[in-house]
Amino acid sequence: MLNSSKSTKSIQRFACFVLASTLPCLSFAEQDWKFDTAINAMTGHYASSQTMDRQHGTGIRMAGEYKQVWGWSTSLQTTQIKMMPLMPSPTQDQQNWMLSGYVHTAMDQVPGHWRLQLDGYQIHNNDTVGNSDGVRVLAPLITWIAPTQALKVDAGYATSHYKGASPHHQLTYSLGFGFNQYRDWIELRGYSISQLNPNYALGQQNTRATDLKITHLLASAAPWVPHAIMVNLERGKKIYFLDVPTQTVYNLPMMHEGGEKIATTWKLSSGSSLSLIASQARYRAEQPATHHFKLKTLATQFEWSW
């Protein structure tokens, strides 16, 4: 079982790993490297769930990019779910590890540039009943960005490995474009998840979903006015999926049936920002009996770069 002591040790190991990865680059950071760090915290409440009550989480992410040619990122997200009184365990503790690498390249035949990315995920928790512990996900992603930066297209694939089930596969694709002098951005993303095991996936073998994200940049110089506002609408059904924009694996046996999110970001300085995110997601579960419920969350993130 993962407890607070083990979570603390994991964060300490993660910090040591990040430090060891970063130190060799620091002497060249001024002219060659750009680094980015983000820390986050969230709290959530399950409305009408028969098994879960509340959720809390913290996370840290570190990224580095070399001369805008190639880069890497790594993160650790810890989550604790407080279960209902009649459940076998009072809490479910989970750690989500992520390691990602990418490279920018160009092709003479196609204007713009390409980004080739590969992400790996490993998830550990104290689930002794289901198959949500020990999950592994491998996800390549290819992105094309137009020369003007006003158009972006990507396509991705993910293979997920759960205990007692054959691997299932996810295809994702998106189209994003900017307008109004790049102060507005719209992105439409589709998900197709196949070869699910119906015994674990609420009777489903395939699911499909669509996300719409709209971002607006504000021009006000007032410090209390956000620099950006983002609204995200999710429709369709997803289970055991990888959320590509947030690099988050959803590994619990709950069918995601849509949701809404709004995020506001304030620029604190040229290299730092603070974000507040409120979201609501609708789910369906079959344990102990089929029921629908909502997860409402509030999160904050502080990010800085150098």
Side-chain angles (χ1 to χ4, degrees):
M1 176 176 177
L2 300 174
N3 52 37
S4 59
S5 176
K6 290 186 178 181
S7 297
T8 301
K9 290 181 180 178
S10 297
I11 294 175
Q12 290 173 345
R13 289 196 297 267
F14 178 80
C16 291
F17 169 75
V18 169
L19 187 60
S21 303
T22 305
L23 280 177
C25 310
L26 289 181
S27 59
F28 306 99
E30 186 173 344
Q31 66 265 24
D32 295 334
W33 283 90
K34 178 182 178 181
F35 293 101
D36 182 87
T37 303
I39 55 175
N40 67 75
M42 61 81 65
T43 183
H45 169 67
Y46 292 92
S48 302
S49 172
Q50 297 179 6
T51 59
M52 297 174 288
D53 182 20
R54 304 197 65 84
Q55 180 184 109
H56 304 283
T58 56
I60 181 172
R61 179 181 181 274
M62 179 74 182
E65 185 175 75
Y66 180 73
K67 292 185 175 180
Q68 297 183 334
V69 175
W70 64 272
W72 56 268
S73 64
T74 184
S75 68
L76 168 62
Q77 187 75 32
T78 64
T79 306
Q80 182 181 79
I81 300 175
K82 181 182 178 183
M83 311 301 288
M84 288 298 188
L86 297 181
M87 297 302 295
S89 176
T91 63
Q92 180 167 311
D93 301 287
Q94 179 162 293
Q95 299 174 351
N96 295 48
W97 298 82
M98 185 276 295
L99 181 63
S100 174
Y102 64 88
V103 60
H104 292 285
T105 187
M107 297 183 183
D108 295 336
Q109 301 84 353
V110 182
H113 73 272
W114 298 82
R115 173 177 165 135
L116 309 178
Q117 180 176 324
L118 181 63
D119 297 349
Y121 302 84
Q122 182 88 36
I123 300 175
H124 298 284
N125 62 31
N126 60 339
D127 178 16
T128 59
V129 179
N131 66 339
S132 64
D133 181 32
V135 175
R136 293 174 291 113
V137 180
L138 191 65
L141 180 70
I142 181 170
T143 304
W144 174 77
I145 304 173
T148 62
Q149 308 284 314
L151 180 66
K152 178 179 77 72
V153 179
D154 71 43
Y157 167 78
T159 176
S160 303
H161 300 263
Y162 290 75
K163 292 186 300 184
S166 59
H168 62 259
H169 309 280
Q170 171 180 304
L171 295 176
T172 180
Y173 34 86
S174 81
L175 170 66
F177 59 92
F179 58 99
N180 190 22
Q181 297 181 334
Y182 306 110
R183 304 202 65 83
D184 293 282
W185 182 266
I186 293 179
E187 182 174 310
L188 185 66
R189 179 173 299 277
Y191 289 87
S192 177
I193 305 169
S194 61
Q195 297 187 20
L196 293 165
N197 186 330
N199 295 326
Y200 296 106
L202 281 66
Q204 301 294 312
Q205 290 183 313
N206 306 281
T207 64
R208 285 180 170 81
T210 303
D211 294 356
L212 174 64
K213 182 169 68 174
I214 303 173
T215 304
H216 176 66
L217 302 180
L218 289 84
S220 175
W224 59 86
V225 176
H227 167 70
I229 298 178
M230 185 275 291
V231 175
N232 189 29
L233 303 177
E234 301 172 282
R235 296 297 182 262
K237 295 182 179 181
K238 295 178 287 188
I239 189 170
Y240 300 133
F241 66 98
L242 167 65
D243 186 280
V244 175
T246 63
Q247 295 179 299
T248 303
V249 175
Y250 288 77
N251 62 309
L252 298 183
M254 312 182 305
M255 182 68 70
H256 186 286
E257 297 184 327
E260 298 79 35
K261 178 189 298 183
I262 182 169
T264 55
T265 301
W266 288 265
K267 269 198 168 184
L268 305 180
S269 67
S270 59
S272 63
S273 63
L274 177 68
S275 298
L276 294 178
I277 308 103
S279 65
Q280 173 181 270
R282 293 175 289 280
Y283 290 96
R284 176 171 61 89
E286 291 186 346
Q287 297 294 331
T290 301
H291 63 287
H292 294 80
F293 61 94
K294 294 180 180 180
L295 172 60
K296 301 178 180 181
T297 62
L298 183 64
T300 182
Q301 176 173 284
F302 176 65
E303 183 173 0
W304 71 97
S305 59
W306 70 95

